[in-house]
């Protein structure tokens, strides 16, 4: 009678089997772990994408800032006097704030976008603050910013081609290792503008 | 026998089996939880990071585009050239009927008013004098005006500026176009100055952008004291948010070290730069402190001499402006994604880990093209 009561108390669904075996549990847990890891990688990918987007927004803003500084330098005509061209040839934009101990809008060396040439490079930290200039970046630098000033071949006295390159330090190190300074890499910002003398 | 067999097969797990399964369960659930917890933080934080960056892009792009155009002047008719030859197209404060106390002595580091002439046919002069109190405007039908219209293409709702060569200007809105009667009605705002026939009248884009917030260094937003926004005010009744969750906005001005020489008033009249005899009485030269430019601190931009009049009064040094530095800072919208410390202007309640989204601060310079035409 006791055995009969025991059988009656069992649920019908269990009668055909005896629950999960240890192997089944281990396999299902393994599957769950693999799936979870796949989903976790999506989160990591979204974080990485946001970081890249932030980096590109920052490099573009930094490039734009230098381009606007270059555009603010005098490049016009002496309208109150002789009417001759007037050019800024003394500003040094490689230091912050800019000084009068530089070369202004005089043409830069042709490879000033490819290597660190004093007067045409500065270094920025991760917060976008200027941290130095020179041929080697300080320890706190996160970005290298270089610029080039070249006369337009068809109108060299009055029109300049201004270019600014901002590159993360990690890109710069990869470029040094590969010995290919002109390689453009993801995360770089390169802006180009033209400045022409106008009389009014 | 069958019952005995069933009992043997259902005798439960051995101690070894139990220990192994418990250990595996602990390891696996531990691994899952170690993934799930940061994943929840990431799932909350990363959409907000993307939103924060997008708000920064919108804010900086909006200000950049407006600043680049600022100063663009008339290009048709007898009077042409950058607006800076007539008045200061950048004012370091909010301007309009909502701010009757803002005059030339007001400097708001979190606000800027910018003016420029858009691509428009509606560029002409007034054909009869306009007294200070006037609701009517008669304009000259110049050759550049659209044919078949007496009123040079001016339309209802259009923002219009009137300015002369003495440094005065007024912005108002057209409320009615009476083409047959050849006059325009405007909202009846009193002008800051009576204008003679021949003063320029043209369509204008004029907005004040400002940061409003309960945080120090700003001013509460109209109608919502808890909001932190970048807003755009049109000088009359339109005041709209551009970007939410802005926790910092500052404008710094850089200008020509040489003193301004325009606007030059007609003979016998005086303004902030010249006396009635035509002698220069404006501000002197400044030492360059930013390359070939000079930083213009707030004190210089509100100490006079003053051009214009009433709400449109402005310091003569504003005519020097050649470059504007904008520093914009936005924050995560949710308190629980902000922490405490120098990375957050407005502290939050984040527990840390993946749930920390620092403020985003970008500083950029803008050289308004139309304020640097001859430089």
């Amino acid at each position: 009678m006791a055995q009969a009561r025991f059988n009656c108390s069992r649920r019908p669904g269990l009668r055909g089997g005896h629950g999960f075996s240890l192997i089944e549990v281990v396999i299902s847990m393994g599957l769950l772990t693999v799936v979870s890891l796949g989903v976790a990688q999506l989160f990591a990918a979204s974080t990485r994408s946001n970081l890249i987007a932030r980096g590109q927004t920052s490099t573009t803003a930094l490039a734009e800032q230098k381009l606007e500084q270059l555009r603010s330098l005098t490049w016009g005509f002496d309208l109150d006097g002789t009417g001759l061209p007037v050019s800024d040839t003394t500003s040094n934009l490689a230091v912050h704030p800019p000084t009068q101990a530089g070369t202004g809008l005089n043409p830069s060396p042709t490879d000033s976008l490819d290597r660190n040439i004093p007067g045409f490079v500065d270094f920025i930290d991760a917060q976008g603050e200027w941290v130095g200039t020179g041929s080697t970046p300080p320890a706190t630098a996160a970005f290298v910013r270089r610029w080039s000033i070249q006369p337009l071949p068809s109108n060299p006295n009055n029109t300049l081609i201004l270019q600014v390159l901002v590159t993360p330090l990690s890109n710069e190190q990869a470029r040094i290792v590969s010995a290919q300074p002109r390689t453009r890499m993801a995360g770089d910002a390169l802006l180009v503008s033209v400045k022409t003398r106008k009389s009014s | 026998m069958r019952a005995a067999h069933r009992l043997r097969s259902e005798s439960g797990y051995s101690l070894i089996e139990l220990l192994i399964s418990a250990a595996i369960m602990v390891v696996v659930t531990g691994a899952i939880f170690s993934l799930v917890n940061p994943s929840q933080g990431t799932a909350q934080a990363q959409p907000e990071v993307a939103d924060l960056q997008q708000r920064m892009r919108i804010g900086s792009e909006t200000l950049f585009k407006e600043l680049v155009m600022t100063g663009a002047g008339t290009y048709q008719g007898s009077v042409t050239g950058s607006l800076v030859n007539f008045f200061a197209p950048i004012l370091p404060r909010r301007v309009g009927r909502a701010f009757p106390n803002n005059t030339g002595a007001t400097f708001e580091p979190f606000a800027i008013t910018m003016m420029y002439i858009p691509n428009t046919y509606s560029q002409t002069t007034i054909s009869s004098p306009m007294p200070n109190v006037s609701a009517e405007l008669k304009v000259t039908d110049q050759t550049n005006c659209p044919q078949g219209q007496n009123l040079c293409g001016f339309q209802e709702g259009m923002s219009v500026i009137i300015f002369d060569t003495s440094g005065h200007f007024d912005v108002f809105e057209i409320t009615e176009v009476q083409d047959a009667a050849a006059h325009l009605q405007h909202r009846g705002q009193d002008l800051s100055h009576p204008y003679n026939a021949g003063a320029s009248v043209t369509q204008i884009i004029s907005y004040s952008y400002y940061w409003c917030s309960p945080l120090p260094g700003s001013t509460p937003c109209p109608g919502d004291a808890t909001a932190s926004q970048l807003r755009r005010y049109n000088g009359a009744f339109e005041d709209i948010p551009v970007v939410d969750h802005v926790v910092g906005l500052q404008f710094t001005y850089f200008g020509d070290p040489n003193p301004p020489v325009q606007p030059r008033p007609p003979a016998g009249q005086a303004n902030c730069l010249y006396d009635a005899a035509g002698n220069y009485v404006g501000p002197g030269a400044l030492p360059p402190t930013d390359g070939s430019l000079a930083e213009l601190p707030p004190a210089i931009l509100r100490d006079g001499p003053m051009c214009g009049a009433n709400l449109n009064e402005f310091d003569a040094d504003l005519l020097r402006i050649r470059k504007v530095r904008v520093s914009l800072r936005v924050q995560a919208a949710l308190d629980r994604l902000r922490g405490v410390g120098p990375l957050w202007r407005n502290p939050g309640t984040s527990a840390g880990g993946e749930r920390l989204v620092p403020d985003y601060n970008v500083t950029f310079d803008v050289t308004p093209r139309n304020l640097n035409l001859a430089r």
Side-chain angles (χ1 to χ4, degrees):
Chain A
M1 281 301 285
Q3 187 59 49
R5 277 201 302 276
F6 176 76
N7 279 338
C8 287
S9 69
R10 290 182 69 196
R11 283 180 290 160
L14 285 176
R15 193 168 293 148
H18 305 284
F20 298 111
S21 72
L22 187 61
I23 296 296
E24 286 171 332
V25 171
V26 168
I27 290 174
S28 64
M29 288 286 189
L31 282 173
L32 190 61
T33 307
V34 169
V35 171
S36 304
L37 277 172
V39 173
Q41 279 186 340
L42 289 180
F43 286 113
S46 84
T47 307
R48 198 163 52 243
S49 298
N50 277 337
L51 266 176
I52 291 169
R54 182 188 171 114
Q56 294 216 318
T57 304
S58 298
T59 51
T60 307
L62 292 171
E64 206 167 78
Q65 185 181 22
K66 186 58 67 182
L67 201 58
E68 292 299 309
Q69 284 181 358
L70 286 164
R71 292 197 68 99
S72 73
L73 301 184
T74 302
W75 185 252
F77 293 100
D78 180 14
L79 296 180
D80 300 320
T82 58
L84 291 172
V86 181
S87 308
D88 184 323
T89 54
T90 56
S91 287
N92 180 8
L93 298 183
V95 293
H96 181 76
T99 64
Q100 291 278 293
T103 56
L105 288 174
N106 277 338
S108 61
T110 51
D111 57 348
S112 65
L113 288 183
D114 303 330
R115 59 189 183 91
N116 298 337
I117 299 175
F120 301 95
V121 62
D122 59 7
F123 303 107
I124 315 292
D125 69 9
Q127 280 72 48
E129 299 292 330
W130 181 91
V131 288
T133 182
S135 49
T136 50
T140 51
F143 300 101
V144 184
R145 179 165 59 186
R146 302 193 195 106
W147 54 96
S148 143
I149 305 163
Q150 292 296 322
L152 185 73
S154 59
N155 187 16
N157 293 327
N158 294 322
T159 304
L160 296 173
I161 304 169
L162 308 174
Q163 296 184 76
V164 181
L165 169 73
V166 178
T167 183
L169 216 55
S170 53
N171 282 10
E172 185 62 8
Q173 279 153 358
R175 230 178 253 122
I176 290 168
V177 170
S178 68
Q180 291 182 322
R182 285 192 173 269
T183 310
R184 294 285 166 262
M185 302 173 74
D188 290 356
L190 176 65
L191 298 186
V192 184
S193 183
V194 172
K195 187 171 170 70
T196 302
R197 287 186 212 276
K198 289 181 183 172
S199 58
S200 64
Chain B
M1 273 307 287
R2 287 184 61 197
H5 173 75
R6 196 156 51 235
L7 268 179
R8 259 199 310 278
S9 69
E10 295 174 358
S11 58
Y13 299 114
S14 71
L15 183 61
I16 296 295
E17 284 174 331
L18 195 66
L19 284 176
I20 291 173
S21 64
I24 291 173
M25 181 72 90
V26 166
V27 169
V28 171
T29 50
I32 289 173
F33 273 105
S34 70
L35 289 174
V36 166
N37 192 36
S39 295
Q40 283 180 337
T42 308
Q44 286 177 13
Q46 290 308 314
E48 184 54 35
V49 170
D51 194 45
L52 172 94
Q53 292 174 4
Q54 185 63 7
R55 277 185 271 122
M56 171 57 79
R57 289 186 205 107
I58 290 171
S60 55
E61 273 300 300
T62 304
L63 292 171
F64 183 88
K65 284 181 177 172
E66 295 279 16
L67 271 167
V68 157
M69 283 302 296
T70 296
T74 48
Y75 53 92
Q76 294 179 326
S78 56
V79 177
T80 57
S82 171
L83 293 181
V84 77
N85 295 329
F86 305 96
F87 60 90
I90 290 181
L91 302 175
R93 64 178 194 269
R94 294 166 291 173
V95 174
R97 59 169 55 197
F99 306 104
N101 298 323
N102 285 2
T103 60
T106 308
F107 182 91
E108 295 177 317
F110 55 84
I112 191 169
T113 297
M114 299 176 272
M115 287 169 267
Y116 59 91
I117 310 293
N119 222 350
T120 177
Y121 288 115
S122 302
Q123 304 178 34
T124 183
T125 55
I126 54 174
S127 58
S128 56
M130 281 187 74
N132 296 50
V133 182
S134 163
E136 194 177 288
L137 177 66
K138 291 191 173 182
V139 302
T140 311
D141 188 16
Q142 293 186 167
T143 51
N144 60 278
C145 293
Q147 289 188 341
Q149 296 182 21
N150 290 326
L151 294 167
C152 205
F154 288 104
Q155 295 172 357
E156 193 177 316
M158 194 182 266
S159 286
V160 169
I161 190 169
I162 181 168
F163 62 92
D164 60 16
T165 55
S166 67
H168 292 94
F169 70 97
D170 278 283
V171 176
F172 49 85
E173 192 176 316
I174 299 294
T175 53
E176 193 180 349
V177 179
Q178 298 174 346
D179 203 36
H183 68 239
L184 300 161
Q185 296 281 334
H186 66 81
R187 190 172 279 132
Q189 295 146 263
D190 292 349
L191 303 181
S192 65
H193 176 75
Y195 293 91
N196 294 325
S200 295
V201 59
T202 173
Q203 187 183 356
I204 185 91
I205 291 180
S206 171
Y207 289 121
S208 296
Y209 285 86
Y210 68 100
W211 168 48
C212 59
S213 170
L215 292 170
S218 182
T219 179
C221 293
D224 188 354
T226 60
S228 286
Q229 296 173 331
L230 170 66
R231 293 179 76 105
R232 189 184 80 180
Y233 174 57
N234 78 341
F237 301 107
E238 181 192 290
D239 189 353
I240 56 171
V242 178
V243 178
D244 272 327
H245 305 292
V246 174
V247 287
L249 176 64
Q250 185 166 6
F251 297 96
T252 312
Y253 302 93
F254 300 86
D256 197 332
N258 299 315
V261 293
Q262 297 283 358
R264 195 177 190 113
Q269 287 185 29
N271 69 0
C272 57
L273 301 183
Y274 299 92
D275 63 16
N279 300 310
Y280 187 79
V281 294
L286 296 171
T289 54
D290 187 89
S292 58
L293 297 179
E295 184 172 347
L296 304 173
I300 283 186
L301 298 178
R302 61 181 174 195
D303 63 350
M306 296 291 177
C307 276
N310 300 331
L311 292 184
N312 296 328
E313 189 180 58
F314 63 91
D315 189 293
D317 286 299
L318 291 169
L319 296 162
R320 295 178 187 266
I321 292 178
R322 299 292 178 264
K323 188 174 81 173
V324 180
R325 179 163 296 156
V326 185
S327 186
L328 181 65
R329 184 170 183 146
V330 295
Q331 69 170 11
L334 304 172
D335 279 357
R336 62 175 186 272
L337 295 177
R338 297 196 306 272
V340 178
L343 295 177
W344 293 275
R345 178 87 197 274
N346 185 20
T349 58
S350 171
E354 313 295 321
R355 294 173 177 81
L356 279 175
V357 180
D359 291 355
Y360 192 11
N361 192 14
V362 166
T363 299
F364 56 95
D365 290 359
V366 187
T367 303
R369 307 298 187 255
N370 296 287
L371 302 186
N372 289 272
L373 289 176
R375 293 188 71 251

